[in-house]
Amino acid sequence: MNKEIEKKLEQIRKKRDLSITDLCSIDDLSKKDIELIFDLAQEFKKIGNKKLDLLKNKTIFNTFFENSTRTRSSFELAGKTLGANTINITADTTSVKKGETIVDTAQTVDSLNADAIVVRTSYAGIPAQLKKHVNACIVNAGEGCQEHPSQGLLDGFTITEHFDSLKNKTVLVIGDLLHSRVFGSLGRIVLKLGGNLRICAPETLIHKDTKKVFKGIKIFSDINKALKGVDVVYTLRVQTERGAQGYVPNLKEFSKAFGINAERFAMANKNAILMHPGPVIRNIEVSSDLVAHKNSKILTQVNNGLAVRKAILWLLIDRRDGKIKKITRI
Ligand code: CP
């Protein structure tokens, strides 16, 4: 039975390979890469948590130097259900706590025959640096305020699944854009797949280079104007752990001006969907009653994340298999 599923997955794959062996940014991916990931994710979603042997005898280290519920558990479950050995490492339990650098930690686990190292860190640029020094595939699971590409892929997949395509769909991202690695990847994938990108936030929570990085983006300060004609309402948490509360008068004021409630959500297109990467802070960026709204995709995003991460791990590890990367040890 499982062999049949694996055969079907191979058929969907049609001998296609990713153009990359590390996933650090959405910019690393071609449109064909994204199409391949989405095609496989669709199939992985259908089979749920059924165990397969696609990554049998492969080893994945989940190295999370920051807290995570969704990303860490879905990468772990994805690896395990594909048959890999998965090892979880957190900041509190590693020698990073004793002063070892993240690069040295990565080189160390690489020497334990790692096939992939999934990394979450509060420092932007770490995944791109690690890929120069380790043989294993590097998978960025969220870096500082920069990017979170597996989240961008699961978001792109969720929008595509609902509307059939992202092309010409209008995605409005609201809230703490300045500290959001989710926006870093979501904005890139929306534009790459032909969508229209809008943002709405206090000026203090928008990066000064936004227009340069996200060509064609429309910036709004009035939520009522921003919501008109929108297909996707994507809300972001105010990231107090990164000091975001210093950029708004207070969370209540932020919520009054930019929080999404039923009345505001109704201003978007009739069939608009509501998205949020989680964790949700109810009644700040989104009202509690909207979380379980019929058009809310918040838990669908989590479910899709598992399928997308299976596709990412299988494709990256398989592409790298047997090939020696050009790296330098330091
Ligand atoms: N969306 C997201 O990255 O959630 P976690 O921090 O729980 O992984």
Side-chain angles (χ1 to χ4, degrees), residues 67-72 120 141 148 151 181-182 277-279 309:
N67 293 348
S68 165
T69 300
R70 283 144 281 267
T71 314
R72 194 171 78 137
R120 168 166 293 191
H148 190 351
Q151 177 75 46
R181 52 193 171 209
V182 169
R309 287 176 177 123

Side-chain angles (χ1 to χ4, degrees), residues 154-195:
L154 77 88
D155 290 336
F157 177 76
T158 304
I159 300 169
T160 305
E161 182 182 51
H162 184 82
F163 292 110
D164 285 335
S165 163
L166 229 159
K167 204 167 171 52
N168 298 326
K169 293 293 163 212
T170 300
V171 179
L172 169 65
V173 193
I174 307 154
D176 181 5
L177 298 139
L178 184 66
H179 301 100
S180 180
R181 52 193 171 209
V182 169
F183 172 63
S185 291
L186 173 66
R188 283 173 167 85
I189 203 161
V190 168
L191 293 178
K192 200 173 260 240
L193 298 185

Side-chain angles (χ1 to χ4, degrees), residues 190-245:
V190 168
L191 293 178
K192 200 173 260 240
L193 298 185
N196 308 312
L197 185 61
R198 290 186 189 181
I199 55 171
C200 184
E203 209 178 315
T204 49
L205 287 178
I206 299 174
H207 196 281
K208 64 176 174 42
D209 290 336
T210 299
K211 279 195 169 167
K212 243 189 264 170
V213 177
F214 302 98
K215 299 265 184 272
I217 193 169
K218 289 200 171 120
I219 303 180
F220 292 79
S221 54
D222 181 339
I223 192 72
N224 299 328
K225 287 184 184 154
L227 282 160
K228 286 203 179 99
V230 162
D231 300 294
V232 179
V233 178
Y234 199 111
T235 55
L236 293 173
R237 182 173 60 89
V238 177
Q239 300 193 37
T240 49
E241 75 276 22
R242 298 186 205 291
Q245 69 274 32

Side-chain angles (χ1 to χ4, degrees), residues 12 43 64 74 93 103 110 112 120 208 211 233 277 283 296:
I12 291 164
E43 199 56 31
F64 278 66
S74 62
T93 57
V103 175
D110 198 40
L112 296 171
R120 168 166 293 191
K208 64 176 174 42
K211 279 195 169 167
V233 178
N283 298 321
S296 166

Side-chain angles (χ1 to χ4, degrees), residues 13 15-20 33 36 315 318-319 323:
R13 194 167 160 185
K15 294 193 169 58
R16 291 177 290 175
D17 253 336
L18 288 183
S19 61
I20 51 167
D33 289 332
L36 174 57
L315 290 168
D318 204 54
R319 164 89 164 78
K323 296 180 192 81

